[in-house]
Amino acid sequence: MRLEGKVAAITGAASGFGESAARRFVAEGAKVVLGDIQEEAGNRVAAELGDSAIFIPCNVTKEEDIANLVDSAVAQFGKLDIMFNNAGIVGAVGPISTTPADEWKFTVDILLNGVFYGCKHAARVMGPQGSGSIISMASTAGLMGGLGPHAYAAAKHAVVGLTKNVGAELAGNGIRVNAIAAASMATPMVAAVLTGDPGDLAGTREKLAAASPLHGRAGLPEDVANAALWLASDESGYTTG
């Protein structure tokens, strides 16, 4: 019960890292508001989690949707302690000389602007509380070159920079801001890239395990969920930026 009494909002919560984190958070005592554009899957996950979770349709490219997600947490559960900016896509792919500008902008809109909106509206309600934990998904592609498509890498680098800056600002309000830089993990998004089938998680695990620095051990959504759990809990109370 490491999150007992805490309230969390998670974007991209209907699958992958977000779903895994939602289940882990509820198991540890939290109330969770799930946000996603996948309404059927989101409602299913919320139903399986019972009274500890609600689903709110949320398109992270729309600021009003994220504002509503945050406000719904406060209205339903009385406060917001944890904001997990998780929603993501692979986005625009291909050589820089042929990357379509509209696909570039759409990728950045989801991966960077969605995180900005999440930080903004979480800070709006956490500031008066004087406490809170904002967690965002970065990537190893946000720390090094050559590990992801150009738009994805640029946006994830920006998430790292935004995390450091917002962490510096909000530390004085008792709000911690951190990011998780995951490698390729066995999620539907990665499965679509590696196997062409977002549902082929078993095949994805096999491929990732073969290439993993930890021999035979693929990265799993639960690994990210456990990292998010630590950052969401009071155990990481002196960790920010």
Side-chain angles (χ1 to χ4, degrees):
M1 304 301 286
R2 294 155 73 185
L3 300 183
E4 187 171 11
K6 295 187 183 294
V7 178
I10 303 174
T11 64
S15 63
F17 299 151
E19 177 186 357
S20 187
R23 295 185 184 279
R24 193 78 171 93
F25 285 11
V26 168
E28 293 287 343
K31 306 292 186 183
V32 179
V33 180
L34 314 174
D36 208 298
I37 59 171
Q38 303 175 84
E39 295 192 26
E40 182 177 348
N43 280 310
R44 173 184 53 78
V45 174
E48 292 173 1
L49 293 176
D51 293 339
S52 294
I54 61 171
F55 173 74
I56 302 292
C58 180
N59 180 338
V60 298
T61 68
K62 298 180 179 179
E63 182 177 3
E64 61 269 25
D65 277 18
I66 293 187
N68 180 56
L69 188 73
V70 168
D71 291 342
S72 296
V74 175
Q76 182 74 17
F77 299 120
K79 59 177 180 172
L80 180 68
D81 301 295
I82 304 152
M83 182 74 193
F84 187 14
N85 299 308
N86 165 73
I89 60 171
V90 173
V93 297
I96 192 67
S97 60
T98 59
T99 299
D102 58 342
E103 293 182 17
W104 172 281
K105 292 175 183 177
F106 182 66
T107 305
V108 171
D109 208 9
I110 292 176
L111 296 179
L112 176 57
N113 294 343
V115 172
F116 159 64
Y117 300 143
C119 292
K120 174 181 177 178
H121 289 284
R124 169 170 60 83
V125 300
M126 290 177 178
Q129 293 174 181
S131 65
S133 175
I134 299 173
I135 307 163
S136 301
M137 280 308 303
S139 169
T140 50
L143 302 172
M144 299 173 63
L147 297 181
H150 299 306
Y152 185 90
K156 292 300 188 179
H157 271 78
V159 168
V160 171
L162 183 64
T163 297
K164 292 179 179 181
N165 248 46
V166 177
E169 177 195 344
L170 298 183
N173 298 97
I175 301 168
R176 297 179 295 106
V177 187
N178 294 287
I180 299 170
S184 291
M185 314 290 270
T187 64
M189 186 178 84
V190 174
V193 174
L194 291 184
T195 71
D197 178 4
D200 187 8
L201 297 180
T204 301
R205 284 193 295 271
E206 288 182 12
K207 288 179 178 292
L208 292 177
S212 174
L214 291 173
H215 181 67
R217 172 61 157 86
L220 305 174
E222 291 79 10
D223 296 315
V224 169
N226 287 332
L229 169 62
W230 184 74
L231 291 172
S233 76
D234 294 336
E235 294 170 17
S236 59
Y238 200 62
T239 302
T240 194

